Amino acid sequence: MKLQGKEIDVVRKGSGQPLLLLHGGGGPIAAMPFADKLAEKFEIIAPTHPGFGGSKIPDHFNRVDDLVFLYLDLLDELDLNDVILMGFSMGGWTAVELATMNSTRLSKMILVDPVGVKVGGREDRDIADVFALPGEKLVELMFHDVSLAPKPADMPDDQLQLMAANRIALGVYTWDPYMHNPKLPHRLHRIKMPTHFIWGESDGIVTVDYGQKYCKLIDGATMTVIENAGHSPQVEQPEAFVDAVFKCAG
Amino acid sequence: MTTMRTWFFTEDCYPDLPPQDEWDSIRVDLPNQLCEPENAHRLYNEYLDIWCAADEMGLDIMVNEHHQTATCMIPAAPIMLGILARQTKDARLLILGNPLPNRNQPVRVAEEMALIDVISKGRLECGFVRSVPYEAAAANMLPYKGSERLWESHDLIMKAWTTHDGPFNFEGKYYHHRQVNIWPRPYQDPHPPVWITTGGASSTDPVAKHGHVAAVFLAGYSRVRPVFDAYRENYLKHHGTHAPLDRLAYCGLVYVGDDERAVEKGANELMWYMQANKVTEQWKNPPGYHPPQVAAGIMKGAHISGSGAAYSTDLKEHMRRGNVFAGTPDQVYEQIKAFWEYSGGFGHMLMMGQAGHLPKDDTLRSMQLYADEVYPRLRELAATWDPEEIMEKRKAMPDQEHAEITDLSVDFVR
């Protein structure tokens, strides 16, 4: 669909209460089994962040708030109301920023292993530096079961290039300050809707401990920890993940 | 008149490292406990002695910078050049270069360069570079659109150098500075000569448009023609005249020895430069430095060149590729002459003449042999250059294939 004069890829599927799904740094996820399951209860609206999935990054885009304004426009354009806002990792950060700016069209927020805030001191590495890790180490932090991780050596060139392009886009949006907005904690009081965190127990990118501290920053927020899952519980434990979603938004 | 200048260059490495299997990467995360201050002090002073000797021998001087690496101990090239501005007399002083996309204050760069130019009485030649991928982590800078940043920074610096009637305003896409009025202004009028490194044909256009010197590092036989030819075409397009010889520069490793034994020893020691560059994948591939096709190749474990040529650290192979010129004075002259003619000619030989453990005395001997026995002949050769004649002559030398340089051309080019 066309937003801000740009063609934005948006997957829409299912019917029911609208659920705006914002993917993480790995790229679009709306085609995954967990999303099919969610589509049985919700109308999923899943845009692809510009730069991901082979799309172009607009010339002036370089921060998460560029995405936030894009999706505020999307909510207006589709005239969506009573929306469940769901964000994964950097998409979770985007969701939280959006909720602090304008939540009038939103009724609930679900955050899956989100980044976006700094909880420790200036010398604490709250969020693993994904750009400073060799591939195999990154996979260990991302996955509970590393056998589920994509293997670049076995991937066809076009898929690997998409993965490389996604990584560039992730860098563009999150490089500095790294994966967080220092002002965000000072704006979280504006979030009044029910907010639920879902976290993979083995996440090494942002740990459960980080999640618990993040959760405490949002009034009344609750959290489900999913066992045997890393940074992407929707991939490693899709059933437990969908159950957790239905439980808080069913 | 057409001539050839030679610029003596060493990266000031810290070569005294444990065996390679004891560390992962020579760049970015090699702990600095391996850098003994006493040894570093000795090395810096040896390198400065060598540069000062270059001045005495009639060679010009080139300095560069890298960060968080034992391959190059200079994290602030302007400081080294500031020392040399005072300690040398005749040599022109090339910094190649200032890594503009990684420096947030272009005006500060303009000031530093003007300072060196004034102290040296107009001997500065100022290079601007995008910088290599490993610098992203060290500078904490996203390398996305690095070229765009480079050119905006360049524009601001050029204006800062050439504006003499008080402050001007600059509010660009990347750089903002509202009261630009540098003191001192450069010694050279209108400004010091500017050099830019280029890695491929496509990046030569803006360099040629500005009439700046285009420098190519270790491009070898296979890449030098496409890059130099593109520059010449673009120069002709923008200026309506052939690019003068002194608009093109080539950097290769050079070792001149008295006899075969000395050459064998010295040239192989220079190869440290090629052999020591062990770097882990993530530092080679910061997001946005390479286009997705290249980045994908690195994720797969490929070397950066993507040329299909085998990665090599072998001296003979690099000599064949046109990256290393090594031999007795006669041999080195013939090697450079062949490459020079093949390339269509260039006015600057960037002589990387020291690397690794190559001792100071051997380095100085090689430089002296070059200055006495190679350089005069190269100057004579360059004096014969005619932009049309050389292209005719070149036709007799067909394009060389499969002589592609490895990663290193990309690694060190900027």
Side-chain angles (χ1 to χ4, degrees):
Chain A
M1 65 183 284
K2 208 147 179 121
L3 288 171
Q4 300 179 357
K6 293 168 273 289
E7 203 53 52
I8 305 297
D9 297 330
V10 181
V11 172
R12 299 183 72 169
K13 61 188 198 184
S15 58
Q17 189 178 3
L19 186 154
L20 179 61
L21 188 156
L22 304 180
H23 67 77
I29 49 175
M32 291 181 171
F34 86 90
D36 292 336
K37 203 80 189 153
L38 292 182
E40 290 171 12
K41 271 203 180 169
F42 306 110
E43 183 199 357
I44 292 179
I45 302 114
T48 298
H49 310 322
F52 287 87
S55 62
K56 268 194 68 172
I57 305 177
D59 200 40
H60 66 281
F61 270 40
N62 60 3
R63 294 182 355 188
V64 159
D65 61 6
D66 294 314
L67 299 176
V68 171
F69 284 96
L70 189 69
Y71 301 140
L72 286 170
D73 286 350
L74 180 145
L75 291 170
D76 289 347
E77 182 70 24
L78 297 178
D79 193 20
L80 299 172
N81 289 297
D82 194 25
V83 175
I84 299 168
L85 178 60
M86 177 183 278
F88 298 77
S89 189
M90 74 158 272
W93 173 12
T94 311
V96 175
E97 295 265 9
L98 191 153
T100 63
M101 289 189 198
N102 186 345
S103 58
T104 49
R105 293 181 180 277
L106 311 176
S107 63
K108 197 173 291 272
M109 181 157 67
I110 299 173
L111 303 168
V112 188
D113 299 71
V115 295
V117 295
K118 188 154 177 57
V119 297
R122 65 185 184 184
E123 281 157 47
D124 295 321
R125 214 186 277 286
D126 292 336
I127 303 165
D129 188 350
V130 299
F131 302 116
L133 293 168
E136 67 274 15
K137 181 73 188 160
L138 183 59
V139 157
E140 283 172 25
L141 297 183
M142 289 277 301
F143 288 85
H144 175 80
D145 176 1
V146 293
S147 71
L148 296 171
K151 292 167 193 63
D154 304 336
M155 284 167 74
D157 282 350
D158 55 340
Q159 268 190 44
L160 193 58
Q161 284 183 29
L162 275 183
M163 194 168 146
N166 288 343
R167 186 170 171 272
I168 293 169
L170 179 64
V172 168
Y173 291 114
T174 68
W175 183 265
D176 183 29
Y178 179 64
M179 294 276 178
H180 77 284
N181 174 3
K183 292 183 190 288
L184 191 53
H186 306 287
R187 299 171 179 172
L188 295 175
H189 64 276
R190 293 177 49 80
I191 299 174
K192 311 279 191 218
M193 67 188 149
T195 297
H196 190 69
F197 287 74
I198 298 178
W199 220 279
E201 190 179 26
S202 315
D203 188 354
I205 303 294
V206 271
T207 62
V208 170
D209 177 58
Y210 171 92
Q212 281 160 348
K213 286 174 179 154
Y214 201 163
C215 187
K216 281 193 191 128
L217 296 174
I218 298 177
D219 227 16
T222 52
M223 184 160 161
T224 303
V225 174
I226 295 188
E227 291 178 351
N228 301 321
H231 192 57
S232 306
Q234 75 282 8
V235 174
E236 292 198 80
Q237 300 297 336
E239 283 176 20
F241 175 80
V242 170
D243 283 349
V245 174
F246 287 165
K247 212 165 161 187
C248 75
Chain B
M1 194 186 110
T2 56
T3 191
M4 166 95 82
R5 299 192 83 103
T6 298
W7 307 74
F8 182 81
F9 168 48
T10 170
E11 279 216 313
D12 283 25
C13 70
Y14 188 95
D16 303 312
L17 301 174
Q20 273 200 19
D21 56 5
E22 291 179 23
W23 40 268
D24 295 329
S25 174
I26 197 165
R27 293 173 186 266
V28 188
D29 58 1
L30 187 67
N32 67 14
Q33 66 192 4
L34 296 173
C35 180
E36 280 294 333
E38 200 57 49
N39 195 28
H41 169 81
R42 176 186 65 82
L43 286 164
Y44 280 126
N45 283 284
E46 275 193 18
Y47 295 134
L48 285 164
D49 287 347
I50 292 170
W51 271 312
C52 288
D55 179 43
E56 302 277 323
M57 292 176 197
L59 301 171
D60 293 309
I61 286 170
M62 170 180 157
V63 169
N64 78 337
E65 76 175 52
H66 285 287
H67 301 256
Q68 299 189 187
T69 174
T71 61
C72 173
M73 288 203 297
I74 309 176
I79 290 178
M80 287 310 252
L81 217 55
I83 296 168
L84 292 166
R86 170 80 180 175
Q87 292 216 302
T88 61
K89 292 190 173 56
D90 301 314
R92 294 199 60 79
L93 306 170
L94 169 62
I95 176 170
L96 194 60
N98 294 282
L100 293 189
N102 294 346
R103 296 201 57 184
N104 275 326
Q105 287 191 307
V107 173
R108 168 74 186 223
V109 176
E111 289 171 334
E112 290 168 357
M113 294 299 107
L115 175 61
I116 291 167
D117 200 38
V118 174
I119 292 175
S120 68
K121 208 171 184 194
R123 288 186 285 130
L124 174 70
E125 308 249 343
C126 183
F128 299 131
V129 300
R130 185 188 170 199
S131 94
V132 295
Y134 330 110
E135 302 292 322
N140 208 59
M141 294 296 284
L142 181 76
Y144 183 67
K145 297 198 176 177
S147 297
E148 219 179 271
R149 289 174 65 91
L150 181 149
W151 284 106
E152 187 176 301
S153 182
H154 159 275
D155 294 349
L156 173 48
I157 291 166
M158 296 293 278
K159 185 154 186 191
W161 279 345
T162 54
T163 299
H164 307 308
D165 54 356
F168 68 88
N169 185 49
F170 192 97
E171 291 167 287
K173 183 171 172 186
Y174 300 103
Y175 304 103
H176 295 234
H177 210 121
R178 301 197 302 281
Q179 303 292 338
V180 186
N181 179 36
I182 63 165
W183 279 72
R185 64 179 161 114
Y187 186 92
Q188 295 173 86
D189 184 22
H191 58 77
V194 173
W195 298 47
I196 310 260
T197 48
T198 60
S202 59
S203 56
T204 60
D205 187 64
V207 189
K209 185 179 171 193
H210 286 281
H212 296 332
V213 181
V216 172
F217 282 35
L218 301 171
Y221 275 100
S222 66
R223 290 231 318 266
V224 73
R225 278 186 177 176
V227 180
F228 279 8
D229 288 357
Y231 181 91
R232 293 187 189 104
E233 278 167 33
N234 286 317
Y235 191 97
L236 189 60
K237 177 182 83 187
H238 289 296
H239 303 278
T241 55
H242 289 297
L245 191 62
D246 72 357
R247 295 299 89 187
L248 291 170
Y250 184 73
C251 180
L253 276 66
V254 179
Y255 191 81
V256 192
D258 285 291
D259 53 42
E260 210 169 292
R261 232 181 105 185
V263 172
E264 177 77 14
K265 178 179 176 290
N268 275 301
E269 293 208 70
L270 264 192
M271 292 302 291
W272 183 93
Y273 189 64
M274 307 282 194
Q275 292 148 359
N277 197 41
K278 178 185 175 189
V279 186
T280 37
E281 162 208 331
Q282 70 274 19
W283 309 130
K284 290 181 187 179
N285 197 13
Y289 190 90
H290 305 289
Q293 311 84 279
V294 179
I298 299 169
M299 288 160 84
K300 219 165 186 161
H303 287 289
I304 290 169
S305 83
S307 67
Y311 184 81
S312 174
T313 55
D314 178 65
L315 172 63
K316 290 282 179 291
E317 178 60 18
H318 280 288
M319 288 177 66
R320 194 178 72 78
R321 293 175 183 187
N323 304 314
V324 180
F325 307 103
T328 60
D330 288 348
Q331 290 170 334
V332 169
Y333 170 69
E334 290 302 331
Q335 290 163 22
I336 295 176
K337 176 172 178 277
F339 187 81
W340 186 87
E341 287 175 345
Y342 178 88
S343 74
F346 47 90
H348 302 282
M349 182 72 215
L350 307 179
M351 171 188 186
M352 181 154 188
Q354 196 284 331
H357 294 95
L358 184 64
K360 180 175 160 185
D361 288 349
D362 293 357
T363 305
L364 293 175
R365 181 65 190 154
S366 166
M367 292 160 71
Q368 193 69 59
L369 287 169
Y370 182 94
D372 291 346
E373 300 184 43
V374 180
Y375 201 4
R377 283 187 272 178
L378 287 175
R379 284 211 194 93
E380 281 171 30
L381 174 70
T384 67
W385 181 80
D386 174 277
E388 279 156 20
E389 271 173 29
I390 195 153
M391 289 302 164
E392 283 305 309
K393 196 171 182 178
R394 225 180 69 162
K395 283 182 188 158
M397 307 169 80
D399 289 345
Q400 291 205 19
E401 287 176 14
H402 308 301
E404 176 80 59
I405 172 65
T406 63
D407 294 15
L408 286 151
S409 66
V410 181
D411 288 1
F412 290 100
V413 73
R414 292 167 181 130

